[in-house]
Amino acid sequence: MAQLWGGRFTKETDKTVYEFNASIGFDRRLFHEDIEGSKAHVAMLAKQGILTGQERDSILEGLSGICEDVDEDRLKIDETCEDIHSFMEAELIRRIGDAGKKMHTGRSRNDQVALDMRLYTRRHVVRTDRLLKELLTVILAVMEENLGTYMPGFTHLQKAQPTTLAHHYGAYFEMFRRDRQRMADIYRRMNYCPLGAGALAGTTYPLDREYTASLMGFAGPTQNSMDSVSDRDYLIEFLSALSTVMMHMSRFCEEIILWNSNEYQFVEIDDAYSTGSSIMPQKKNPDVAELIRGKTGRVYGALISLLTTMKGIPLAYNKDMQEDKELTFDAIDTVENCLTLFAGMLHTMRFRKERMAASAMRGFTNATDAADYLVGKGVPFRDAHGIIGRLVLYCVEKETSIDMLSLKELKGISDKFETDIYDAISLETCVEKRLTIGGPAQAAMRAVMEDYREYLKAESPADEGIGLSE
Ligand code: ARG
């Protein structure tokens, strides 16, 4: 077992302790980041005259060799090493000898791991942003085709007022757009390089931290070495934003599960995204949507777990922080997977538009408009509300709807009703008159969608003005 310490010890570590302490089983994921960080560090050490040009070249070459060999499966990461950093150093020394022993000059594993994790997270902030953008593209495409697809809008899961499928999807466009803004925000705040903080108190070597930071595309070095090695805020922010992404997907999934049910039959999930039952031959289950809804809990779990881990840790580095990795990796995998599958499911889902429109016609979704009609005829709104309430009750008893009543029946309740009532409460009028910004009328939606199209054309969140480059 390769470990980087032992000088002050008189006894070997107990095997169970060694295994309990080791992190290579999961931090091997940071392999590429560890190499990237070491290369930048070594380049800086040579620039500062701490290493010779020859030593630098030999280390850089050694690191590139290790990278290629692992990538092409010629070299296995040795899982008996304590962590990825120990493996890298041991392998480098094995390859290039004494020069390899100088790589860790002016560095601690504390700032090294802080850097590796930041590089890894930064990459996945960008990836999440891209996946969100792809999802938004799918959502907008559905919206483009469904400006005039009427459906009921709900409150309390009771039919409330009619709207359109484009309008309903537009709500999710807004949510996932905010999620992207959160990614850009996190990126900007976390994009500072902790390398050079040493174990906690910096180092006596004349490091050029600005230079190291710039080599890795950071906006600059972090400003306090103790904070640098013990800050995991950016992970908490990322896990929080990922939890919100999952919450949004989970709500959407819940609706799709309802819409796909026998009772609603608003949509049909594509066969490729459905599963069957081992016993009930008629079944086509929305398992993908249910799994995404289910996995949301696990991403929340990662957030709560890390918050709890961090809450009692004194400055600066403590080994508790090693617990940040497995759960963050799991959350990242989960969200990226779910985003990909979810976009695929949305893209292939079919809508049963006639059923959606028929459903919007039932359930008195035009009751508000009927009241507004009376207001237009000079009836105060509160009185109109009462009149339509009585009208609804009458319809419920007769098992019919407002638009099915004869003018005579309508006049029986209020003499303000005229023949123009039918047009005033038609599905189309109910939707198309809702023209205020953010409303479902086609004219209102068109303006908003023009903005969405422009937004998706921009490479990175234009309003943030930052480049989410990898
Ligand atoms: N495996 C450790 C972690 O993930 C790396 C840092 C170890 N530093 C230390 N002083 N033991 O946090």
Side-chain angles (χ1 to χ4, degrees), residues 257-294:
I257 292 161
L258 282 172
W259 294 349
N260 187 65
S261 68
N262 286 336
E263 283 65 27
Y264 278 75
Q265 294 179 31
F266 281 7
V267 301
E268 197 175 332
I269 299 176
D270 194 74
D271 278 3
Y273 287 87
S274 311
T275 48
S277 156
S278 61
I279 174 168
M280 298 166 283
Q282 82 280 16
K283 285 277 198 159
K284 224 178 99 179
N285 296 328
D287 287 28
V288 171
E290 288 171 7
L291 269 173
I292 294 172
R293 191 177 58 183

Side-chain angles (χ1 to χ4, degrees), residues 408-427:
K408 193 161 158 258
E409 285 174 297
L410 288 168
K411 278 195 179 289
I413 299 215
S414 166
D415 60 4
K416 300 283 183 193
F417 285 118
E418 301 296 342
T419 46
D420 57 351
I421 175 66
Y422 298 105
D423 192 41
I425 61 171
S426 77
L427 199 49

Side-chain angles (χ1 to χ4, degrees), residues 21-60:
N21 191 48
S23 53
I24 189 128
F26 48 88
D27 66 18
R28 52 178 298 153
R29 257 208 214 215
L30 301 174
F31 174 73
H32 289 108
E33 287 74 14
D34 204 66
I35 289 181
E36 186 182 350
S38 289
K39 282 186 166 176
H41 181 61
V42 163
M44 180 276 294
L45 290 179
K47 183 179 96 60
Q48 297 303 93
I50 302 166
L51 291 183
T52 67
Q54 222 172 14
E55 287 165 337
R56 174 197 58 207
D57 295 344
S58 150
I59 296 173
L60 292 181

Side-chain angles (χ1 to χ4, degrees), residues 132 135-136 139 167-182 241 244-245 247-252 255 452 455:
L132 283 166
L135 175 59
L136 286 170
I139 292 176
H167 190 232
H168 198 115
Y169 266 48
Y172 286 102
F173 192 100
E174 292 288 334
M175 291 180 233
F176 293 118
R177 170 155 77 166
R178 285 197 294 274
D179 287 332
R180 285 193 79 200
Q181 288 165 349
R182 271 183 274 275
T244 308
V245 170
M247 180 267 288
H248 291 153
M249 268 196 285
S250 185
R251 291 184 74 177
F252 209 158
E255 298 205 291
Y452 290 176
Y455 163 73

Side-chain angles (χ1 to χ4, degrees), residues 174-244:
E174 292 288 334
M175 291 180 233
F176 293 118
R177 170 155 77 166
R178 285 197 294 274
D179 287 332
R180 285 193 79 200
Q181 288 165 349
R182 271 183 274 275
M183 292 305 145
D185 194 31
I186 291 166
Y187 186 101
R188 204 178 33 217
R189 192 163 30 254
M190 73 173 284
N191 198 25
Y192 292 88
C193 182
L195 197 65
L200 76 161
T203 155
T204 54
Y205 295 99
L207 306 186
D208 183 346
R209 294 194 57 209
E210 301 271 359
Y211 181 69
T212 325
S214 74
L215 285 180
M216 291 179 282
F218 285 106
T222 51
Q223 302 283 314
N224 179 290
S225 61
M226 291 181 84
D227 178 55
S228 307
V229 291
S230 55
D231 167 31
R232 299 293 181 272
D233 290 5
Y234 67 99
L235 289 179
I236 289 169
E237 287 187 31
F238 187 39
L239 290 173
S240 164
L242 291 181
S243 294
T244 308

Side-chain angles (χ1 to χ4, degrees), residues 131-132 134-143 145-146 165 168-170 172-173 176 248-249 251-257 259 267-270 273 288-289 292 338-351:
L131 291 171
L132 283 166
E134 281 165 29
L135 175 59
L136 286 170
T137 308
V138 172
I139 292 176
L140 185 59
V142 176
M143 292 174 70
E145 286 181 5
N146 290 286
L165 184 60
H168 198 115
Y169 266 48
Y172 286 102
F173 192 100
F176 293 118
H248 291 153
M249 268 196 285
R251 291 184 74 177
F252 209 158
C253 283
E254 166 68 13
E255 298 205 291
I256 289 168
I257 292 161
W259 294 349
V267 301
E268 197 175 332
I269 299 176
D270 194 74
Y273 287 87
V288 171
I292 294 172
C338 288
L339 277 170
T340 307
L341 279 157
F342 185 66
M345 181 176 70
L346 279 197
H347 183 63
T348 51
M349 201 164 73
R350 281 178 304 278
F351 299 99

